[in-house]
Amino acid sequence: MVDGHDYQEWIGRTVTQEDMVTASPIERLDATLETDHQLYSTGVALPPLAHWLYFLPNERQSTLGPDGHPKRGGFLPPIHDLPRRMWAGSRLTFKSPLRVGMHVKRTSTIESVTSKQGTTGPLVFVTVGHAVHDENGHLLLTDHHDIVYRDVTAPADRARSTAPKGPWHRSIVPDTVMLFRYSALTFNGHRIHYDRTYVFAVEGYPGLIVHGPLIATLLIDLVRRSLPSSVVVKAYSFRAVSPLFDGSELHLNGSPPDETGKILLWATNDRDELIMKAEATI
């Protein structure tokens, strides 16, 4: 319970959005990730996690809060006492790929609201389940998205455990331009990703925060780079362990699939400290 409220009445709330799958967003994401160029003509399948480029928020500028997110109390519960809000992780299943030219619909449902006491203070986890269907009602994917709310006075998380370099490996340095481009691609106004003055003065972080879903996308892109293009990802999950800040080297690691098709993935910073764990199934 936070500020005397457990927000249980928000559980079960739903919202539905519709969109058309176009080629431009995924082509720009490929450019941002330095992925080999592919022609996304009508009917071509999009890679896993491409749905994050669609169903984007369309709140008016006047309805945004001080952090750049929509003001609280709409679809998501108004957890005002814990102003830090971050993407903690997701669990996804892929039934059929999005294809260029599709008309798609996403239904989002608040599945749970859970209060916990963490090492840095009170936490609230909100899980939102997303189901994406095509125009004929066929399920394309599910995405169970965990959002965590924290107190702004709590110290910024520091990675603690370390992890070795994997058989699959790629190193990049996410800079301010990459963060800006990804924010633009996902129409994400959260100021922690581009406003250095806000990050220092209000949220107390030592740098701009690299988007969790960007790191998760880079990890699944490592699978695409390491295996034949014919491989199909059936499931994917990831959990953020600690923030990564701009200018820090990001190490993307993975292991080849085991006999069940499971692939272990992890990301570390320039001190080899773990920042994200993930798992894909092919």
Side-chain angles (χ1 to χ4, degrees), residues 50-69:
H51 66 288
W52 288 343
L53 304 178
Y54 305 94
F55 313 107
L56 301 183
N58 57 2
E59 283 80 9
R60 291 176 179 268
Q61 188 74 12
S62 59
T63 66
L64 300 181
D67 61 356
H69 271 310

Side-chain angles (χ1 to χ4, degrees), residues 176-254:
T176 54
V177 177
M178 176 178 278
L179 270 59
F180 167 81
R181 296 179 84 181
Y182 190 77
S183 287
L185 278 167
T186 55
F187 205 55
N188 183 351
H190 201 180
R191 293 169 68 180
I192 62 173
H193 304 303
Y194 60 86
D195 188 338
R196 200 174 299 278
T197 300
Y198 171 84
V199 164
F200 289 165
V202 178
E203 301 231 5
Y205 288 112
L208 300 178
I209 295 179
V210 181
H211 312 66
L214 173 57
I215 299 171
T217 300
L218 285 163
L219 283 172
I220 208 165
D221 181 66
L222 183 66
V223 176
R224 295 173 64 194
R225 292 168 182 266
S226 305
L227 293 176
S229 59
S230 58
V231 168
V232 175
V233 176
K234 299 188 294 184
Y236 184 59
S237 62
F238 68 91
R239 181 175 64 86
V241 176
S242 187
L244 178 74
F245 303 103
D246 71 308
S248 173
E249 197 167 44
L250 169 63
H251 299 287
L252 306 162
N253 301 279

Side-chain angles (χ1 to χ4, degrees), residues 9-278:
E9 69 268 28
W10 257 259
I11 296 175
R13 290 194 177 198
T14 64
V15 64
T16 298
Q17 294 173 271
E18 297 187 15
D19 210 338
M20 183 172 181
V21 180
T22 57
S24 294
I26 189 63
E27 289 174 346
R28 292 179 181 131
L29 179 66
D30 280 356
T32 302
L33 303 185
E34 297 283 352
T35 300
D36 289 342
H37 177 74
Q38 178 178 345
L39 179 62
Y40 289 97
S41 55
T42 300
V44 170
L46 272 57
L49 306 185
H51 66 288
W52 288 343
L53 304 178
Y54 305 94
F55 313 107
L56 301 183
N58 57 2
E59 283 80 9
R60 291 176 179 268
Q61 188 74 12
S62 59
T63 66
L64 300 181
D67 61 356
H69 271 310
K71 292 178 182 177
R72 303 186 183 193
F75 172 63
L76 292 171
I79 306 171
H80 296 297
D81 279 15
L82 300 177
R84 277 185 182 161
R85 173 170 45 179
M86 301 188 76
W87 194 318
S90 282
R91 297 164 303 285
L92 305 103
T93 58
F94 303 102
K95 304 293 185 182
S96 185
L98 275 69
R99 296 181 181 275
V100 176
M102 272 185 172
H103 290 270
V104 287
K105 180 170 71 174
R106 185 185 73 177
T107 301
S108 305
T109 305
I110 295 181
E111 298 180 335
S112 65
V113 182
T114 307
S115 300
K116 295 183 178 180
Q117 187 66 30
T119 56
T120 59
L123 305 170
V124 172
F125 290 88
V126 177
T127 298
V128 181
H130 304 287
V132 178
H133 295 80
D134 67 15
E135 58 190 339
N136 298 313
H138 298 133
L139 180 64
L140 302 177
L141 64 94
T142 62
D143 182 352
H144 299 275
H145 168 197
D146 298 322
I147 306 164
V148 61
Y149 296 80
R150 299 176 56 226
D151 191 346
V152 75
T153 60
D157 285 342
R158 276 289 311 275
R160 294 179 179 85
S161 59
T162 59
K165 181 178 178 179
W168 296 347
H169 184 81
R170 181 188 178 201
S171 294
I172 64 171
V173 178
D175 60 12
T176 54
V177 177
M178 176 178 278
L179 270 59
F180 167 81
R181 296 179 84 181
Y182 190 77
S183 287
L185 278 167
T186 55
F187 205 55
N188 183 351
H190 201 180
R191 293 169 68 180
I192 62 173
H193 304 303
Y194 60 86
D195 188 338
R196 200 174 299 278
T197 300
Y198 171 84
V199 164
F200 289 165
V202 178
E203 301 231 5
Y205 288 112
L208 300 178
I209 295 179
V210 181
H211 312 66
L214 173 57
I215 299 171
T217 300
L218 285 163
L219 283 172
I220 208 165
D221 181 66
L222 183 66
V223 176
R224 295 173 64 194
R225 292 168 182 266
S226 305
L227 293 176
S229 59
S230 58
V231 168
V232 175
V233 176
K234 299 188 294 184
Y236 184 59
S237 62
F238 68 91
R239 181 175 64 86
V241 176
S242 187
L244 178 74
F245 303 103
D246 71 308
S248 173
E249 197 167 44
L250 169 63
H251 299 287
L252 306 162
N253 301 279
S255 296
D258 64 16
E259 63 278 2
T260 67
K262 182 184 299 183
I263 299 170
L264 298 180
L265 300 156
W266 63 100
T268 58
N269 61 19
D270 53 6
R271 297 181 297 275
D272 296 323
E273 294 169 326
L274 191 65
I275 60 172
M276 181 172 287
K277 299 173 64 176

